[in-house]
């Protein structure tokens, strides 16, 4: 039988090889190859989702010896927590490729990088051996570095290096954590499933290892005060880079907390919970407050991401079923909604050649479809019930309030973040969508069919998930329950 | 009929579907758009009426789907349940919404973006239905926020006008302050009870700790205060008048703003267990009733008068809730929906006919617009509390109940009644009597505008007699008419009307006393609440956010992270010289780093 996960992960690698080898004069071929590969990949993931057994725990397992000397395996599998993220990754890939349809500068190189990125993104969510996990984790860095550094805005080199150094700094600590687990007698393996169910790591050891992993994941999320690379990277990155950065790369950090920190270091997770929650709440309020001050559309969305990811951290810190369900739900919803926002900002920028909020006004009058989509995405982002963003934020808040580990004051503070989100988003909508058209907006065309086609799937998912929460949580909840059972929390 | 009534979800789904149809195919439907859109409120109305006819005494109809399960034990279900209170609300929502859609055919004729307008009305109908038929707080909250979003869309309908855009945002944000309270109420109850359905909550309520009950009730109250524009969150409603007038009638007079009253009435078995929350509700309602009535005395814009009047009347309802008279509050909600929607649509007719909202530019319209004039008088009489119009009965019940429980607050409410009669008479005379002061050609609207006025006027004259039936339907206590209170309030109403009439006839000589003039100015601006919010809340938040971004984020956090700027530059230069796209170099570096780390960690790792 076809090794489904391996195919899903490495098909983009084959595509990357093809695009890299294509003759330079056929400039229109790379994007076509990339699109076909991404669509086949998406189809395979959909097939996997259909065949996924909700109650089946870890499944589609592929396991082979890789480096027997160090007991390193090639070990893939997917459960209800990684499935939504794998789906998100496969969904955003063709969208990012279509959003890059007009890339004319070294298209072969560009689409090679995008496909290489996909290998890392898909791989991180299904790897169950720490060495493999680390390889995929680091693999993501390089193509993103080039996407920002070569195809980015005016300060692209600075932003690319900053992104690279920050994440490298984080992953070094993660590597320390991985090795510490391997070298400790009670650990002694790279097998993440074994580590997740093992007990007997002394609490003081756990405490230090948690700290190491925390640095690695927190930079990626990013949590305050490790977030300042994010606005720079987003502003300089091309649209597709921003979509994948916000949609997938940030989730790698929070996924790490759920996949690694909680199950492998449960006692430390408990003693660190207040700190994780504190940074989460600070991120929520701080990201929202700073988003207010932004004059650049992309920076506003970037800081809003810091705020939304704070809700994920709060849900994780809570360690309750609601909190963890909420955390995964936000990860997914944020990927979809922020993807929409970055796509729209890119589409507006292409027409107006500005991202300055003050220069873009009256979109409704001139480009009603673009304006309507932007308003829709904004309402989804501010957590309007009935749309996807609300599900996770609601669960994260009620889960945190129910948790023994999080002080109620944190929840009240976080709830104020809900209000701030409405404020900065609607103020942005007021200045860009409403009002009379500004000179930059005067005369621009509305979205074309391709652009609408890119956005429609995201709109549909936002509505479906928002109206019927179980559409995603039926996968997540059993996995969360299993996770909490191994932690001994339930 | 029973089969029809078992389809409770359709009061939400069908209007929502119609909203989508109208939004997508509005252009194709053309002038038939309103004909399609009106099906949404008619469906809701039919469902409500049939539910009442069928009778709800035995058991409320309900159904639910399991929305999601979280964890091993708890599941969140979202369902619908129709009892007397819900059915009455459905009738109010469906009826007013249907009449507003009809009125809009004439009022909004020739406007751009009508599909968006009618789709928003359908969506509002769906959301409002969701709010009232939900069988628990989760469903209510979803409807609660969605009506807020529809309100945003409709206030901002003329989005190119900066004032409309600003008012839309202000309305959404101010009510969301309340929504945060409601959200926290949900979180608190979920922790303490583990169930957010009304049935589960009410069953658990008596055994909850008093602190929990009080906390949850106060948080619910915060939500209600935001939605119903009560002090101190009243500031958004006057600005919301930037929306089209039919919208003001539907959302900002009859239905959405009354949702706060509905919320407390709905959660009564829980809410009433907290004496503190009740006392707070009374204080909020009493202060709002008199404060907003005072502000209405001096408004110059006909819609602003009605906006402050709405805030004030909702204050009466809150006061009633505060003394435990939830039946009286719901009764006033129903009568108010009729006469205030009538007055708003009447003002819409006036604005449509005379082309202005300024009372200064009206006058003498009674003869030029007789249908509007007569129906307005009925609505005005109902608002002032003249017997036997609707407002008389419901307000009398509130005054009676408050007087029995809290005489001091009752005096305040009597004062507010007096002011109500005063501003009603003043506005009526300025708009409809004496000589015409404007320079247009005021005319009556078409039949689509006249018909709703006549229908609502009939109701505003008649619903007052349905008090006993209503109380029985919703299962509340109904007091018989208190003749002393009735006499007193009627006397006050007459006095207020005479005084208001006289003052309006005196023209505008301007207040001689500078202090009085200053006071009037302050009242006209809603007691300066906007400026206060601007100074105490918005300006500090704005400067804090600038400070956080420019200093903390860019300088402190980023600065520390990068080391000093020169160092960062050096690193940057060093790295950019290596940035030849040489992936091998990175791999080497990574590998070397890993090996070095391995050595260090294995050394440390042994020790632990």
């Amino acid at each position: 039988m076809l090794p489904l996960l391996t195919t899903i992960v490495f098909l983009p690698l084959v595509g990357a090889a093809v695009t890299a080898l294509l003759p330079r004069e056929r400039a229109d071929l790379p994007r076509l190859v990339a699109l076909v590969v991404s669509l086949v990949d998406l189809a395979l993931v959909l097939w996997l989702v259909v065949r996924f057994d909700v109650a089946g725990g870890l499944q589609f397992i592929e396991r082979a010896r890789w480096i027997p000397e160090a007991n390193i395996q090639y070990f893939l599998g997917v459960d209800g927590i990684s499935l939504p993220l794998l789906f998100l990754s496969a969904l955003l890939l063709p969208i990012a490729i279509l959003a890059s349809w007009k890339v004319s500068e070294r298209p072969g190189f560009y689409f090679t990088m995008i496909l290489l990125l996909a290998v890392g993104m898909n791989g991180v969510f299904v790897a169950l051996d720490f060495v493999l996990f680390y390889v995929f984790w680091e693999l993501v860095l390089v193509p993103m570095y080039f996407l920002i550094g070569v195809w980015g805005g005016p300060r692209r080199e600075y932003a690319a290096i900053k992104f690279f150094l920050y994440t490298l700094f984080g992953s070094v600590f993660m590597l320390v954590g991985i090795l510490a687990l391997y070298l400790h007698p009670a650990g002694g393996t790279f097998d993440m499933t074994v580590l997740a169910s093992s007990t007997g790591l002394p609490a003081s050891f756990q405490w230090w290892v948690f700290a190491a992993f925390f640095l690695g994941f927190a930079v990626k999320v990013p949590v305050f005060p490790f977030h300042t690379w994010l606005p720079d990277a987003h502003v300089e990155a091309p649209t597709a880079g921003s979509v994948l950065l916000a949609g997938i790369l940030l989730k790698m950090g929070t996924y790490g907390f759920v996949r690694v920190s909680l199950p492998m270091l449960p006692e430390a997770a408990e003693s660190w919970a207040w700190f994780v929650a504190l940074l989460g709440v600070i991120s929520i309020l701080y990201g929202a407050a700073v988003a207010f001050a932004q004059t650049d559309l992309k920076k506003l969305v970037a800081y809003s991401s810091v705020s939304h990811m704070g809700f994920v951290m709060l849900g994780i810190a809570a360690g309750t079923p609601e909190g963890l369900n909420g955390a995964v739900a936000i990860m997914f919803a944020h990927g979809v909604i922020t993807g929409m926002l970055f796509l729209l900002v890119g589409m507006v920028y292409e027409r107006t050649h500005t991202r300055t909020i003050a220069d873009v006004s009256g979109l409704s009058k001139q480009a009603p479809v673009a304006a309507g989509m932007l308003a829709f995405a904004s309402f989804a982002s501010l957590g309007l019930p009935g749309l996807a963003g609300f599900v996770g934020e609601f669960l994260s808040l009620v889960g945190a309030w129910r948790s023994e580990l999080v002080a109620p004051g944190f929840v009240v503070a976080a709830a104020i973040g809900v209000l701030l989100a409405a404020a900065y988003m609607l103020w942005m909508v007021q200045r860009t969508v409403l009002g009379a058209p500004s000179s930059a907006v005067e005369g621009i065309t509305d979205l074309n069919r391709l652009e609408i086609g890119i956005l429609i799937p995201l709109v549909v998912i936002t509505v479906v998930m928002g109206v019927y929460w179980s559409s995603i949580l039926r996968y997540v909840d059993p996995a969360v329950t299993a996770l909490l059972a191994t932690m001994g929390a339930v | 009929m029973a089969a029809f009534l078992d389809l409770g979800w359709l009061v939400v789904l069908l209007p929502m579907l119609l909203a989508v149809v109208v939004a997508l195919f509005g252009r194709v439907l053309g002038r038939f758009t309103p004909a399609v859109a009106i099906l949404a409120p008619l469906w809701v109305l039919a469902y409500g009426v049939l539910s009442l006819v069928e009778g709800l005494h035995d058991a409320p109809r309900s159904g639910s789907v399991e929305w999601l399960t979280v964890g091993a034990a708890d599941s969140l279900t979202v369902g619908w349940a129709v009892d007397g209170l819900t059915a009455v609300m459905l009738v109010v929502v469906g009826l007013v919404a249907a009449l507003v859609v009809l009125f809009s055919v004439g009022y909004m004729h020739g406007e751009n973006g009508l599909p968006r307008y009618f789709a928003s009305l359908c969506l509002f109908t769906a959301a409002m239905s969701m709010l009232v038929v939900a069988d628990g707080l989760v469903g209510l909250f979803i409807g609660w926020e969605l009506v807020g979003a529809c309100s945003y869309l409709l206030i901002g309908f003329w989005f190119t006008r900066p004032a409309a855009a600003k008012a839309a945002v202000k309305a959404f944000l101010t009510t969301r302050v309340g929504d945060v309270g409601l959200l926290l109420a949900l979180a608190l109850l979920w922790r303490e009870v583990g169930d957010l359905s009304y049935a589960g909550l009410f069953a658990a309520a008596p055994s909850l700790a008093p602190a929990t009950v009080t906390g949850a009730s106060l948080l619910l109250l915060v939500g209600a205060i935001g939605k119903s524009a009560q002090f101190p969150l009243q500031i958004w409603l006057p600005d919301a008048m930037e929306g089209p007038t039919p919208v003001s009638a539907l959302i900002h007079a009859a239905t959405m703003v009354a949702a706060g009253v509905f919320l407390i009435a709905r959660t009564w078995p829980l809410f009433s267990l907290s004496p503190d929350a009740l006392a707070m509700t009374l204080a909020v309602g009493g202060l709002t009733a008199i404060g907003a009535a005072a502000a209405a005395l001096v408004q110059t814009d006909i819609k602003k008068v009605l906006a402050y009047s709405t805030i004030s009347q909702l204050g009466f309802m809150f006061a009633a809730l505060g003394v435990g008279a939830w039946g009286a509050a719901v009764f006033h909600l129903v009568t108010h929906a009729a006469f205030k929607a009538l007055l708003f649509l009447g003002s819409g007719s006036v604005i449509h006919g005379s082309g202005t909202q300024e009372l200064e530019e009206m006058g003498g319209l009674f003869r030029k617009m007789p249908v509007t004039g007569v129906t307005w008088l009925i609505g005005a009489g109902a608002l002032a509390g003249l017997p036997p119009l609707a407002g008389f009965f419901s307000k009398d019940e509130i005054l009676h109940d408050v007087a029995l429980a809290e005489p001091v607050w009752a005096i305040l409410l009597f004062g507010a009644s007096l002011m109500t009669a005063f501003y009603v008479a003043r506005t009526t005379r300025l708009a409809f009597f004496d000589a015409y002061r404007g320079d247009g050609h005021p005319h009556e609207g078409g039949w689509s505008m006249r018909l709703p006025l006549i229908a609502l006027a009939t109701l505003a004259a008649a619903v007052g007699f349905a008090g006993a039936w209503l109380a029985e339907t919703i299962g509340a206590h109904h007091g018989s008419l208190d003749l002393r209170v009735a006499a007193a309030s009627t006397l006050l109403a007459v006095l207020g009307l005479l005084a208001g009439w006289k003052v309006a006839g005196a023209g505008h000589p301007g207040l001689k006393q500078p202090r009085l003039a200053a006071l009037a100015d302050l009242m006209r601006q809603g007691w300066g609440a906007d400026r206060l919010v601007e100074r105490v809340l918005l300006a500090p938040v704005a400067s804090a956010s600038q400070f956080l971004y420019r200093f903390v984020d860019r300088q402190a956090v980023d600065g520390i992270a990068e080391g000093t700027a020169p160092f960062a530059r050096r690193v940057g230069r060093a790295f950019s010289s290596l940035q030849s796209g040489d992936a091998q170099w990175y791999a080497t570096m990574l590998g070397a780093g890993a090996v070095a780390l391995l050595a260090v960690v294995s050394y440390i790792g042994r020790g632990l």
Side-chain angles (χ1 to χ4, degrees):
Chain A
M1 211 199 83
L2 188 75
L4 197 51
L5 285 179
T6 299
T7 317
I8 288 168
V9 172
F10 289 104
L11 186 67
L13 187 65
V14 177
V18 173
T19 49
L21 294 173
L22 283 172
R24 279 212 171 183
E25 48 273 22
R26 298 300 307 274
D28 56 333
L29 269 185
R31 63 183 191 192
L32 206 62
V33 172
L35 181 66
V36 169
V37 165
S38 68
L39 288 176
V40 171
D41 224 32
L42 177 60
L44 290 174
V45 171
L46 285 174
W47 172 235
L48 183 131
V49 171
V50 169
R51 290 195 7 209
F52 187 88
D53 175 9
V54 173
L58 205 56
Q59 46 204 293
F60 297 95
I61 292 171
E62 293 168 29
R63 203 197 269 266
R65 287 192 299 172
W66 183 17
I67 308 171
E69 293 75 14
N71 203 9
I72 298 170
Q73 322 169 63
Y74 176 80
F75 183 11
L76 304 179
V78 65
D79 71 353
I81 292 169
S82 47
L83 185 76
L85 297 168
L86 180 65
F87 173 67
L88 185 64
S89 169
L91 173 76
L92 291 183
L93 184 64
I95 286 172
I97 289 168
L98 285 170
S100 317
W101 213 239
K102 289 185 200 149
V103 167
S104 54
E105 195 195 335
R106 300 161 82 184
F109 188 23
Y110 180 90
F111 288 103
T112 308
M113 287 300 120
I114 291 263
L115 289 172
L116 212 51
L117 189 62
V119 179
M121 297 187 317
N122 292 345
V124 157
F125 296 128
V126 297
L128 293 171
D129 180 279
F130 251 141
V131 175
L132 197 60
F133 179 81
Y134 187 77
V135 167
F136 285 128
W137 182 282
E138 293 293 319
L139 178 59
V140 168
L141 264 185
V142 179
M144 186 51 85
Y145 169 82
F146 284 113
L147 283 176
I148 298 172
V150 177
W151 291 273
R155 297 178 73 215
R156 55 180 175 259
E157 291 188 0
Y158 167 79
I161 290 167
K162 195 170 181 180
F163 160 78
F164 195 90
L165 286 183
Y166 261 79
T167 13
L168 197 64
F169 165 84
S171 43
V172 163
F173 284 96
M174 186 176 90
L175 186 61
V176 172
I178 293 173
L179 294 175
L181 284 176
Y182 179 67
L183 296 169
H184 194 278
T189 175
F190 288 120
D191 188 322
M192 292 166 75
T193 56
V194 173
L195 286 169
S197 53
S198 76
T199 51
L201 287 172
S204 60
F205 176 77
Q206 283 194 24
W207 197 91
W208 284 105
V209 178
F210 190 97
F213 277 115
F214 179 85
L215 281 172
F217 298 145
V219 169
K220 203 84 167 179
V221 171
V223 179
F224 175 90
F226 307 106
H227 65 280
T228 53
W229 63 270
L230 184 75
D232 288 316
H234 269 309
V235 167
E236 302 306 324
T239 297
S242 285
V243 169
L244 295 176
L245 187 58
I248 311 297
L249 266 60
L250 306 191
K251 278 70 194 179
M252 288 164 55
T254 43
Y255 175 74
F257 277 105
V258 178
R259 179 61 76 212
V260 176
S261 305
L262 292 189
M264 296 184 198
L265 310 160
E267 288 163 47
E270 206 166 295
S271 47
W272 275 88
W274 70 272
F275 184 73
V276 176
L278 177 67
L279 285 192
V281 171
I282 291 177
S283 297
I284 292 170
L285 295 178
Y286 181 88
V290 174
F292 259 114
Q294 299 313 312
T295 52
D296 182 301
L297 273 173
K298 255 189 159 178
K299 270 202 178 168
L300 184 141
V301 181
Y303 278 108
S304 85
S305 290
V306 175
S307 187
H308 288 301
M309 294 307 279
F311 279 101
V312 182
M313 299 304 291
L314 183 67
I316 291 171
T320 48
E322 302 90 341
L324 286 173
N325 270 295
V328 180
I330 302 172
M331 286 189 224
F332 184 82
H334 178 261
V336 173
I337 295 164
T338 309
M340 260 193 288
L341 284 171
F342 276 124
L343 287 167
L344 282 159
V345 171
M347 291 166 187
V348 169
Y349 179 74
E350 263 182 37
R351 291 165 167 77
T352 59
H353 307 290
T354 177
R355 283 191 313 258
T356 307
I357 295 176
D359 294 343
V360 183
S361 81
L363 280 175
S364 281
K365 191 96 183 165
Q366 187 67 35
V369 178
M373 292 274 191
L374 186 55
F376 174 84
S378 301
F379 269 105
S381 174
L382 66 82
L384 187 74
L387 302 177
F390 174 68
V391 183
E393 286 184 5
F394 174 75
L395 289 173
S396 160
L397 282 174
V398 300
W401 195 305
R402 209 178 202 189
S403 168
E404 304 290 318
L405 304 173
V406 179
F410 284 12
V411 184
V412 175
I416 292 169
V418 174
L419 179 66
L420 293 177
Y424 64 75
M425 275 332 263
L426 289 186
W427 193 36
M428 183 273 282
V429 170
Q430 183 190 337
R431 287 175 293 167
T432 57
V433 171
L434 309 178
S438 61
S439 58
V441 171
E442 202 70 63
I444 65 167
T445 55
D446 209 342
L447 301 187
N448 60 38
R449 281 185 191 178
L450 173 67
E451 289 168 325
I452 295 173
I454 294 173
L455 291 166
I456 287 292
L458 300 178
V459 171
V460 170
I461 290 173
T462 303
V463 173
V464 169
M465 177 179 166
V467 171
Y468 190 53
W469 302 1
S470 278
S471 57
I472 164 166
L473 293 178
R474 61 192 288 261
Y475 297 102
V476 180
D477 186 57
V480 164
T481 308
L483 172 73
L484 289 172
T486 64
M487 287 176 70
V490 175
Chain B
M1 197 153 87
F4 173 73
L5 291 178
D6 283 331
L7 301 173
W9 266 128
L10 286 182
V11 297
V12 180
L13 287 182
L14 193 83
M16 206 165 269
L17 200 69
L18 285 167
V20 174
V21 169
V22 169
L24 291 182
F25 304 110
R27 266 158 220 251
V28 185
L29 291 168
R31 59 195 190 86
F32 295 105
T33 306
V36 176
I38 204 168
L39 294 175
L42 285 181
W43 177 272
V44 173
L45 175 64
Y47 189 90
V49 168
L50 288 177
S51 296
L52 289 174
V53 170
E54 179 89 335
L56 298 144
H57 302 293
D58 319 326
R61 285 175 190 282
S62 65
S64 70
V65 290
E66 189 166 276
W67 195 309
L68 75 147
T69 51
V70 215
D74 304 308
S75 72
L76 207 54
T77 59
V78 173
W80 58 274
V82 179
D83 63 0
L85 178 59
T86 300
V88 168
M89 288 300 290
L90 286 176
V91 171
V92 171
V93 172
L95 187 63
V96 178
L99 293 174
V100 160
V101 169
L102 186 60
F103 188 85
S104 300
V105 174
Y107 189 81
M108 301 296 285
H109 183 75
E111 291 283 348
N112 280 323
L114 284 182
R116 178 164 52 92
Y117 176 82
F118 285 109
S120 303
L121 284 180
C122 287
L123 193 62
F124 174 81
T125 307
M128 196 67 209
S129 302
M130 170 120 195
L131 196 161
V132 299
V133 299
D135 72 344
L137 285 175
V138 178
L140 174 130
F141 187 77
I142 293 172
W144 184 272
E145 288 262 297
L146 285 178
V147 289
C150 295
S151 157
Y152 169 90
L153 291 175
L154 286 164
I155 295 171
F157 178 72
W158 288 304
F159 55 78
T160 49
R161 297 207 315 231
K166 197 171 162 213
V169 175
K170 184 174 173 184
F172 192 85
L173 284 184
T174 314
T175 53
R176 211 167 208 226
V177 174
D179 298 354
V180 169
L182 185 52
L183 189 60
L184 288 172
L186 263 66
L188 177 63
L189 289 168
W190 177 253
R191 182 178 69 172
E192 300 300 331
V193 183
D195 187 353
L196 292 176
S197 72
Y198 296 133
L201 284 176
F202 300 160
S207 53
L208 288 176
T212 304
V213 172
T214 298
S217 300
L218 286 176
L219 287 168
L220 289 172
L221 177 62
V222 171
I225 285 173
K227 213 52 148 190
S228 292
Q230 297 293 289
F231 176 78
L233 296 178
Q234 79 285 5
I235 53 169
W236 64 272
L237 191 61
D239 289 39
M241 298 299 119
E242 285 293 332
T245 305
V247 168
S248 311
L250 174 61
I251 301 183
H252 306 120
T255 56
M256 185 186 87
V257 286
V261 178
F262 171 77
L263 171 68
I264 294 177
R266 181 83 285 175
T267 55
W268 193 247
L270 173 75
F271 196 88
S272 58
L273 295 179
S274 166
D276 291 344
L278 289 174
M280 190 62 111
T281 312
L282 175 62
V284 165
L287 287 178
T288 311
I290 189 141
L297 294 175
V298 289
Q299 297 303 316
T300 57
D301 177 320
I302 189 168
K303 283 185 76 180
K304 289 274 168 75
V305 176
L306 294 178
Y308 280 108
S309 162
T310 302
I311 299 174
S312 170
Q313 293 296 308
L314 289 163
F316 276 87
M317 298 176 214
F318 272 65
L321 292 167
V323 296
W326 72 276
V330 173
F331 185 21
H332 199 52
L333 188 162
V334 173
T335 60
H336 177 258
F339 67 72
K340 193 51 74 60
L342 167 62
L343 289 172
F344 262 111
L345 291 186
S347 78
S349 180
V350 164
I351 294 164
H352 186 77
S354 69
T356 178
Q357 294 183 201
E358 288 299 321
L359 289 166
E360 227 12 70
E361 299 160 16
M362 296 175 187
L365 295 179
F366 191 85
R367 249 176 296 162
K368 297 177 193 285
M369 304 171 70
V371 176
T372 307
V374 170
T375 53
W376 173 280
L377 283 186
I378 294 171
L383 172 57
L386 285 183
L389 302 171
F392 165 75
F393 291 96
S394 53
K395 196 153 79 177
D396 181 76
E397 210 173 312
I398 292 178
L399 290 171
H400 169 71
D401 287 331
V402 176
L404 279 186
E406 301 277 348
V408 181
W409 286 103
I411 293 170
L412 216 60
L413 290 186
F414 274 112
S417 288
L418 181 69
M419 291 184 187
T420 306
F422 183 99
Y423 67 69
V424 164
R426 172 177 172 267
T427 310
T428 304
R429 182 164 187 183
L430 284 176
F432 287 98
F433 296 96
D434 301 333
Y436 178 59
R437 296 180 295 275
D439 49 9
H441 301 280
H443 56 279
E444 197 72 78
W447 68 269
S448 83
M449 289 170 69
R450 290 197 301 262
L451 197 65
L453 291 177
I454 294 166
L456 285 169
T458 313
L459 288 170
V463 235
F465 295 101
W469 170 83
L470 182 78
E472 193 199 344
T473 305
I474 65 175
H477 164 78
H478 177 66
S480 55
L481 193 67
D482 183 327
L483 280 178
R484 279 169 309 167
V485 172
S489 73
T490 308
L491 185 67
L492 284 176
V494 172
L495 282 177
L497 287 171
L498 289 175
W501 185 266
K502 188 149 189 305
V503 167
H508 283 267
L511 289 162
K512 288 284 189 302
Q513 274 239 304
R515 280 202 199 145
L516 273 180
L519 180 68
D521 269 348
L522 188 67
M523 281 157 61
R524 195 169 298 124
Q525 290 156 23
W527 298 100
D530 274 327
R531 246 175 307 157
L532 193 70
V533 169
E534 178 74 37
R535 275 197 208 146
V536 177
L537 206 66
L538 298 183
V541 167
S543 5
S545 115
Q546 287 293 340
F547 171 79
L548 281 177
Y549 176 56
R550 292 193 199 294
F551 183 73
V552 177
D553 204 65
R554 292 287 96 179
Q555 311 258 322
V557 179
D558 208 32
I560 291 168
E562 287 191 357
T564 55
F567 175 73
R569 256 203 304 281
R570 251 185 318 217
V571 172
R573 225 177 284 131
F575 266 83
S576 50
S577 67
L578 298 170
Q579 190 212 7
S580 54
D582 188 355
Q584 242 180 353
W585 199 89
Y586 292 113
T588 317
M589 200 171 75
L590 226 62
V595 170
L597 271 168
L598 192 72
V600 174
V601 169
S602 56
Y603 180 74
I604 300 170
R606 306 274 168 197
L608 285 169

